[in-house]
Amino acid sequence: MDRTTIASLYKDPQHYGDQQVAVAGWIRSVRDMKNFGFVMLNDGSCFKDLQVVMNRDALACYDDIVAQSVGAALIITGTLVLTPERPQPFELQATSIVVEGESSPDYPMQKKRASREFLRTQQHLRSRTNLFRAVFRVRSVAAFALHEFFQQRGFVYVNTPIITASDAEGAGEMFRVTTLDLQDPPRLKDGSIDWSQDFFGKPTNLTVSGQLQAENFAMSFGDVYTFGPTFRAENSNTRRHAAEFWMLEPEMAFADLGNVMECSEAMLKYTIDQVMKKCPDELAMLNSFVDKGLKARLEHVVASDFARVSYTDAIQILEDAVKAGHSFEYPVSWGVDLQTEHERYLCEQHFARPTFVYDYPVEIKAFYMRLNDDKKTVAATDCLVPGIGEIIGGSQREERLELLEKRIKELSMDPEEYRYYCDLRRYGTCRHAGFGLGFERLVMYLTGIDNIRDVLPHPRTVGNADF
Amino acid sequence: MDRTTIASLYKDPQHYGDQQVAVAGWIRSVRDMKNFGFVMLNDGSCFKDLQVVMNRDALACYDDIVAQSVGAALIITGTLVLTPERPQPFELQATSIVVEGESSPDYPMQKKRASREFLRTQQHLRSRTNLFRAVFRVRSVAAFALHEFFQQRGFVYVNTPIITASDAEGAGEMFRVTTLDLQDPPRLKDGSIDWSQDFFGKPTNLTVSGQLQAENFAMSFGDVYTFGPTFRAENSNTRRHAAEFWMLEPEMAFADLGNVMECSEAMLKYTIDQVMKKCPDELAMLNSFVDKGLKARLEHVVASDFARVSYTDAIQILEDAVKAGHSFEYPVSWGVDLQTEHERYLCEQHFARPTFVYDYPVEIKAFYMRLNDDKKTVAATDCLVPGIGEIIGGSQREERLELLEKRIKELSMDPEEYRYYCDLRRYGTCRHAGFGLGFERLVMYLTGIDNIRDVLPHPRTVGNADF
């Protein structure tokens, strides 16, 4: 079927003015004024509705249409009339309306405001509300902006595997993937599971990170990125954690921690800028109803140079704050991992802008991070943003074979499992660095939404895998 | 560190001519001609190498460099000299070379040609070969082209879930996802597994398709697409099947099967066109060494109108071919599912271009496909391409609640599991349609590679989940 999207009408009203057009969408509201009536129609192509005017005398189906419930699908033909004197720039004078699909008075997405908790039980319908139409369009625009940013810089997109036999960095609890019958799995003589009979001939899990595999490709393409789902089987029920979430992981050859900071700052600014350009109506709605400071904060980020502070100096700042009377729940001293409250203090109160903290103690960071000359810290950085805390974690990777092997041994990791990874250091190793962006954290930051369940189309959390 | 990519040099040689530049990359070959020497350097930013000229007298490290093995990483500073009279447009006259990382004579990616079977055991290194650098760049460019195509058309990108409690369409064997201890899982009194103690409180699997969830979003945004990993636990060891692969699934509201054919044809042409524009060197290499007909075939597809034939007519064509003496392994008659040999006969020999077959018998297609007025066929279409067979499968979805519920009952499916899906038909249902593109099939088509293991960065197949 041929139809004109409402987005097209708003994009070029002059082109469609006084023309016949056919639109198709869903009723947001309908009003019967006796001799004429109005339908506010939305087709999802843009945030704005189209006002449709119905003249009772000219429209045989008038009574049928004004009796329709919110959510009904209509196909409407009419003339687009420009109305420069009114709040909306045009309206559609309907000449024919066909009911494509009726709705019902028990439609759960009525105009009245529903709680976000209730809407989580209606994930198949909630994207029809203003709130979720805004959130999920921002999500889509941000995802594409990230692809654009890296493709324009010449990065190669690599789909690292989801099913993996390694545990990456031991970064978290993993989900087992299996085709064995749990009821009665094959067993060896000693009673243990016979994994050789599983689909892959060994135990496999869902990936927690594509970084190690991305490094394989950085050593051939120079600059690469992954962007795909990752998983954590952590039994935590917080606003910031989901069991399944998307992660972007760029990896750059011949690059150091400075390149990570430059690239990730430019990436965030580009993405925010694209969302501001492409989703002005969505941001206006989110700014009015979700987070009054949203637009100001995003504009501020695009205009700011991000702060940079070493972990050691950051600890000093936090200790000074404690001395000056500020109280934190978790104690602060050199060597501790920063808690969200510390991160937020640094980027919200001390620097008042996004902040890179770099050179963390070796003990609290992953095995693959590059040891600094001080032998106490590694070339790692976290990017902290106001309102969220950590949004990006990156590091320069240990490219020196002997130091990497030593670290693997110190941590009692299985050298055989990391043989391929060490191979990259055997054949043409080079300094290289990369980072990971939790995509849902970014969408929360871009929308002001404070619960990760509301930025995932169908969130998976402990006890929840509906739809 | 600051470096100029080799891609930048090729993009604008005039800009860099006679300038000092620093490049970094890996040795493809090195030659010692006594008083001067050559390094062919590649940094992965483009398919082409950079020729580096070394003057023994001017370069203190000359002997060290010519002794390096293939694959060593170098950082080279020098002057870019334009050489319009030579085959290559410029060369770098080195003034300083630093060995960033040595390689070794046992480096498995020597210049001599290795078999693809061997290279599959070297997945962490194989993308350093010409063949795989071509394949994986084409893959990246094609993935981005698909995003671009749909974003330009106003489609919203939706990340449908990977972990699912439903079995979608019963489309194939699924992988179980669990955190239960297989050694000793919790059991109910009757000895069966106590799934309530699993992470999500019930049995969950890896998705085989995001279509049903994408429909949720098509009913709010109109046009949406998913693009992510999907899984099949099928115990088949063929060149065309992997356990983990990427699938693109667009879904369009107020659309019918004609829109599916229009959209998917335009999508394929756009993607091929982008790859031809952005990967000329890669295609030239693939055309020379993998598939001599590749470029001609891709050009032909972009220039052709795809053929369209009903299943019923297609069967007639195949039966006529049999009468005329053509022999197929599998018999042909109305009602059978088309085999790859039939599909290839239709698009390669009969139509000699990509071909849409549409309106398949209801018995051989999925429950959600829209019943045609003849009550014998459904509004489904497969797009067949020369050399591959089916590359796209699409359909108009059954939007009529009573017919959908009837079909669910006929197939003894659990109505409760599809309650949400049926809700879309209760509240403002509309005609809608969509399709699925197996992304690896497309990459095989774009590269001429005939084994899916060679277009996946780290393929997962029965018995294989390495790297």
Side-chain angles (χ1 to χ4, degrees), chain A residues 36-101:
Chain A
F36 57 95
F38 297 104
V39 167
M40 295 304 281
L41 193 80
N42 192 285
D43 68 359
S45 65
C46 65
F47 195 73
K48 290 196 186 83
D49 299 327
L50 172 67
Q51 173 155 295
V52 180
V53 184
M54 302 176 290
N55 189 320
R56 178 190 286 267
D57 293 337
L59 213 58
C61 61
Y62 182 92
D63 289 325
D64 183 27
I65 301 300
V66 294
Q68 292 296 321
S69 301
V70 169
L74 305 179
I75 299 176
I76 307 177
T77 308
T79 307
L80 195 79
V81 178
L82 302 184
T83 55
E85 72 287 3
R86 305 248 186 91
Q88 74 279 8
F90 47 74
E91 60 190 26
L92 188 70
Q93 297 271 8
T95 50
S96 115
I97 302 185
V98 177
V99 178
E100 172 81 357

Side-chain angles (χ1 to χ4, degrees), chain A residues 1 3 24-26 43-45 71-75 100-104 106-108 124-125 127-128 132-133 136-137 139-140 143-144 147-148 151 155-165 174-180 182-183 185 187 191-193 195 199-202 204 206 213 216-223 227-229 231-235 243-244 246 253-256 259 420 423-424 426-431 439 457-458 460-467, chain B residues 1 3 24-26 43-45 71-75 100-104 106-108 124-125 127-128 132-133 136-137 139-140 143-144 147-148 151 154-165 174-180 182-183 185 187 191-193 195 199-202 204 206 213 216-223 227-229 231-235 243-244 246 253-256 259 420 423-424 426-431 439 457-458 460-467:
Chain A
M1 62 174 293
R3 64 181 178 113
W26 294 273
D43 68 359
S45 65
L74 305 179
I75 299 176
E100 172 81 357
E102 299 201 337
S103 184
S104 143
D106 70 357
Y107 179 50
H124 59 316
L125 302 174
S127 52
R128 304 179 183 196
F132 286 98
R133 283 197 298 127
F136 291 120
R137 187 180 298 277
R139 183 180 169 109
S140 169
F144 184 61
H147 277 293
E148 260 185 340
Q151 295 273 339
F155 283 60
V156 169
Y157 180 36
V158 178
N159 297 127
T160 51
I162 306 303
I163 299 173
T164 171
M174 298 180 89
F175 288 101
R176 174 62 34 98
V177 174
T178 183
T179 54
L180 295 180
L182 263 72
Q183 186 63 38
R187 291 180 191 268
S192 64
I193 303 292
W195 291 109
F199 190 89
F200 297 105
K202 57 186 158 187
T204 52
L206 291 179
Q213 294 102 335
N216 294 339
F217 287 80
M219 293 299 113
S220 27
F221 287 109
D223 293 332
F227 191 12
F231 305 85
R232 294 280 191 290
E234 269 152 39
N235 197 341
E244 174 180 326
W246 281 60
F254 301 103
D256 57 23
N259 296 105
Y420 304 125
D423 265 2
L424 302 183
R426 268 180 210 109
Y427 307 116
T429 192
C430 70
R431 76 194 78 174
F439 182 55
H458 294 299
R460 272 75 182 99
T461 54
V462 188
N464 289 294
D466 292 330
F467 302 90
Chain B
M1 61 173 292
R3 64 179 177 115
W26 295 273
D43 67 1
S45 65
L74 305 179
I75 299 176
E100 172 81 355
E102 299 202 337
S103 183
S104 144
D106 71 355
Y107 178 51
H124 59 317
L125 302 174
S127 52
R128 304 180 183 196
F132 287 98
R133 283 197 297 128
F136 291 120
R137 187 179 299 275
R139 184 181 170 111
S140 169
F144 184 62
H147 277 294
E148 258 185 342
Q151 295 274 338
F155 283 60
V156 169
Y157 180 36
V158 178
N159 297 126
T160 51
I162 307 302
I163 299 173
T164 170
M174 300 179 87
F175 288 101
R176 174 62 35 94
V177 174
T178 183
T179 53
L180 295 182
L182 263 73
Q183 186 64 36
R187 293 181 190 266
S192 64
I193 303 292
W195 291 110
F199 190 89
F200 297 106
K202 58 186 160 188
T204 52
L206 290 179
Q213 294 102 336
N216 295 340
F217 287 80
M219 293 299 115
S220 26
F221 288 108
D223 293 332
F227 191 11
F231 305 84
R232 294 281 189 292
E234 269 153 38
N235 198 340
E244 175 180 328
W246 280 61
F254 302 103
D256 57 23
N259 297 105
Y420 304 126
D423 265 3
L424 303 182
R426 267 178 211 111
Y427 307 115
T429 190
C430 70
R431 74 194 80 175
F439 182 55
H458 294 300
R460 270 76 182 98
T461 55
V462 187
N464 289 295
D466 291 330
F467 302 91

Side-chain angles (χ1 to χ4, degrees), chain A residues 164-295:
Chain A
T164 171
S166 113
D167 73 347
E169 36 174 310
E173 294 293 311
M174 298 180 89
F175 288 101
R176 174 62 34 98
V177 174
T178 183
T179 54
L180 295 180
D181 178 10
L182 263 72
Q183 186 63 38
D184 184 22
R187 291 180 191 268
L188 298 171
K189 278 189 186 145
D190 66 0
S192 64
I193 303 292
D194 182 4
W195 291 109
S196 74
Q197 294 192 44
D198 205 351
F199 190 89
F200 297 105
K202 57 186 158 187
T204 52
N205 303 306
L206 291 179
T207 187
V208 297
S209 162
Q211 177 203 319
L212 302 199
Q213 294 102 335
E215 285 186 50
N216 294 339
F217 287 80
M219 293 299 113
S220 27
F221 287 109
D223 293 332
V224 302
Y225 68 107
T226 73
F227 191 12
T230 48
F231 305 85
R232 294 280 191 290
E234 269 152 39
N235 197 341
S236 63
N237 225 326
T238 81
R239 288 162 171 265
R240 290 155 42 96
H241 294 92
E244 174 180 326
F245 55 98
W246 281 60
M247 190 134 76
L248 177 101
E249 296 177 282
E251 190 73 29
M252 303 174 280
F254 301 103
D256 57 23
L257 204 62
N259 296 105
V260 163
M261 293 192 255
E262 183 281 326
C263 182
S264 56
E265 177 171 342
M267 174 195 79
L268 285 178
K269 288 177 173 174
Y270 181 83
T271 306
I272 293 170
D273 187 58
Q274 286 292 305
V275 168
M276 291 198 300
K277 278 186 183 132
K278 293 182 176 172
C279 305
D281 296 325
E282 286 81 357
L283 287 184
M285 181 270 165
L286 293 164
N287 197 69
S288 298
F289 294 102
V290 176
D291 178 352
K292 302 261 182 239
L294 178 65
K295 279 170 69 175

